[in-house]
Amino acid sequence: MSTDFDILIVGGGLVGGSLALALRHSTLRIGLVEAVTDAERQASSASERALALSRSTVQILDGLGVWTAVAAKATPIQHIHVSDRGHFGKTRLHAADQGVDALGHVAIARALEDAIQTHLDGTPITRLCPARVMGLKAGPDSVLVSLRHHDENVNVSARLLVAADGGNSTVRSLLGIEQDVRVYGQTAIVTEVNTGKDTRFTAYERFTPSGPLAFLPLGRRKCSVVWTLKDPDAEDLLQQGTREFTASLQNAFGYWLGPITLGSRPQGFRLKLIRAEKMTDDRVVLIGNAMHQLHPVAGQGFNLGLRDAAMLSERILAQAGFDEDIGDGAFLSRYAEARRRDLGRVIRFTDTLVRVFSNDFPPLVVARNLALVTLDRLPFAKQLLAHQAMGYGNRL
Ligand SMILES: Cc1cc2nc3c(=O)[nH]c(=O)nc-3n(C[C@H](O)[C@H](O)[C@H](O)COP(=O)(O)OP(=O)(O)OC[C@H]3O[C@@H](n4cnc5c(N)ncnc54)[C@H](O)[C@@H]3O)c2cc1C
């Protein structure tokens, strides 16, 4: 096995796996370190989560060659319906008005993981799995990494180490990079429901006095639900039996999709915004959840992480093409600077969503209802909103 790499990617999840795919046709020597075996991943219920994929994400996945496999199992979002329960504000976006076949798609994480793993098979990328990073040290020309691979200790080196090892990043901890954590005192309850009426491929975002409630279509008669509530309210709901919980959910959402029945056990996720205090260190760059962990409310985490991978791969290929050092500090700083704007914009957007739309302060309720009504009447403003929803805020 090779122990000398140009790039060592730690974490072969959605973002690290996508980066590896983006670089697979290059002549760079790439190592991919993943802690979880394929059999363990297949058995994990975390892979059952639904991901809202923006249109720009779909375009990147298409470029990576995996979209065809994912599309076969994904649901197109043809309409977005935003409303405020018990108030007058409402706005609707339609794919046809934007001249596109879908504003985005909803896919189960497992479909994406499977497609990425399948496409990695047969590439020259060295896969170390199951393996974990135990220590690392950056030198002038390379970073030295000690790994636990199966039951052996292995030392490898790389010109650049990419940390894509998720929210509890070991690489970030080993480097002592602090995190900026914002706790919202809210919990997102995630579940699936079967619907009495056809979803007609509509995604609903409904603002209720208890918090925002999203229904994402999974085919015609099923939806993935993300319901955000204050921590104590969520705890109470999670204690309820199936019948009582379904009645509470139905009451909050209404009958837009007829009577609903529960399709999976509701799970609670505490809402936090976690950001690493820096994106780079000597010969190391952090991407995906290792760098930023957003709450699932706005469905942005993977979309943002994939854009990290897309931009990093583009820049690495260009740098390597000029025979320049891909671990050079100035090169990594330029990448970090280029990503800062997109990151800041998405974080502000999700933060505003939580603060403004979870708030029942009367002037704010009136303001957001007026905004929804105004949006519904102004084609230009709607087009801007649709542009954001499709993930074109920052074109790559
Ligand atoms: C309920 C829920 C709903 C969501 N909905 C959406 C949505 O609608 N749209 C959206 O865009 N995003 C959504 N997200 C966010 C999205 O799932 C994450 O942003 C995305 O999975 C991040 O990918 P990642 O590869 O950075 O991290 P991860 O998916 O966490 O992958 C990290 C990988 O690194 C491996 N690893 C960890 N530690 C080590 C180590 N020490 N050594 C080696 N390997 C290691 C792990 O096994 C894993 O494979 C949602 C998240 C949740 C929880």
Side-chain angles (χ1 to χ4, degrees):
M1 188 193 78
S2 167
T3 55
D4 189 15
F5 298 104
D6 293 311
I7 302 176
L8 190 71
I9 304 170
V10 180
L14 293 177
V15 173
S18 299
L19 176 68
L21 274 185
L23 296 170
R24 70 189 185 278
H25 298 305
S26 72
T27 52
L28 295 164
R29 297 158 303 164
I30 301 168
L32 182 59
V33 181
E34 171 53 50
V36 170
T37 62
D38 207 37
E40 285 167 332
R41 183 178 61 78
Q42 290 294 347
S44 162
S45 62
S47 297
E48 291 303 321
R49 68 191 185 278
L51 299 174
L53 308 177
S54 70
R55 217 178 141 74
S56 71
T57 289
V58 167
Q59 284 171 336
I60 296 173
L61 293 174
D62 200 26
L64 295 179
V66 294
W67 179 242
T68 310
V70 179
K73 296 179 187 162
T75 303
I77 299 175
Q78 288 175 350
H79 315 277
I80 298 180
H81 184 284
V82 187
S83 60
D84 204 338
R85 187 178 180 278
H87 300 280
F88 52 90
K90 191 185 310 146
T91 192
R92 284 150 293 206
L93 300 174
H94 306 288
D97 293 349
Q98 306 303 318
V100 294
D101 56 348
L103 294 162
H105 282 78
V106 187
I108 298 298
R110 191 182 304 287
L112 206 51
E113 290 167 357
D114 287 348
I116 291 172
Q117 296 310 318
T118 307
H119 281 75
L120 283 173
D121 291 343
T123 64
I125 294 169
T126 304
R127 292 164 78 181
L128 299 129
C129 179
R132 283 189 169 275
V133 173
M134 307 305 287
L136 56 98
K137 190 173 181 351
D141 302 317
S142 62
V143 52
L144 303 174
V145 185
S146 50
L147 301 172
R148 187 83 184 152
H149 182 212
H150 292 288
D151 290 327
E152 282 178 34
N153 294 327
V154 182
N155 293 320
V156 301
S157 68
R159 287 198 288 151
L160 173 66
L161 186 150
V162 182
D165 51 348
N168 295 320
S169 168
T170 307
V171 173
R172 190 184 57 217
S173 305
L174 287 171
L175 291 170
I177 298 177
E178 297 287 328
Q179 287 179 304
D180 184 6
V181 182
R182 193 175 301 169
V183 180
Y184 291 94
Q186 297 181 46
T187 297
I189 297 183
V190 178
T191 189
E192 271 180 23
V193 293
N194 302 305
T195 63
K197 285 190 193 164
D198 190 337
T199 62
R200 293 188 298 117
F201 305 134
T202 306
Y204 291 85
E205 182 80 34
R206 189 146 167 76
F207 299 106
T208 77
S210 51
L213 176 56
F215 271 51
L216 299 173
L218 289 170
R220 290 196 173 273
R221 296 265 172 187
K222 206 168 163 191
C223 284
S224 164
V225 175
V226 183
W227 190 7
T228 309
L229 300 125
K230 294 193 182 77
D231 288 340
D233 297 344
E235 272 163 35
D236 287 349
L237 273 165
L238 289 167
Q239 300 290 327
Q240 291 180 350
T242 303
R243 193 185 300 180
E244 216 183 332
F245 178 88
T246 309
S248 306
L249 182 58
Q250 183 88 66
N251 182 42
F253 181 68
Y255 281 83
W256 299 94
L257 291 172
I260 52 171
T261 55
L262 218 52
S264 72
R265 197 172 62 80
Q267 276 183 288
F269 294 86
R270 287 271 157 100
L271 294 195
K272 285 186 214 158
L273 174 64
I274 306 178
R275 227 178 330 176
E277 282 186 348
K278 51 183 186 169
M279 215 181 291
T280 62
D281 206 280
D282 291 344
R283 296 196 171 270
V284 178
V285 58
L286 273 57
I287 62 170
N289 273 25
M291 174 61 210
H292 42 72
Q293 213 180 334
L294 308 177
H295 42 75
V297 174
Q300 296 284 332
F302 172 62
N303 291 304
L304 186 64
L306 187 65
R307 295 202 290 273
D308 292 343
M311 183 179 277
L312 184 61
S313 63
E314 262 178 16
R315 289 183 173 234
I316 287 174
L317 291 174
Q319 183 85 345
F322 287 115
D323 227 4
E324 300 279 352
D325 182 3
I326 56 170
D328 174 60
F331 164 69
L332 295 181
S333 299
R334 283 196 299 277
Y335 159 79
E337 194 48 46
R339 286 301 296 139
R340 225 176 293 284
R341 200 164 143 240
D342 188 19
L343 196 65
R345 189 182 56 80
V346 171
I347 286 174
R348 273 194 304 281
F349 171 70
T350 47
D351 198 46
T352 309
L353 205 70
V354 175
R355 285 172 195 278
V356 175
F357 287 103
S358 310
N359 200 319
D360 226 24
F361 178 54
L364 210 55
V365 174
V366 173
R368 78 180 179 224
N369 271 275
L370 282 174
L372 287 176
V373 170
T374 313
L375 262 177
D376 207 42
R377 292 188 182 162
L378 290 179
F380 176 67
K382 273 176 94 163
Q383 202 161 354
L384 265 180
L385 183 68
H387 209 66
Q388 287 292 329
M390 289 190 278
Y392 291 140
N394 242 44
R395 187 177 277 280
L396 278 177

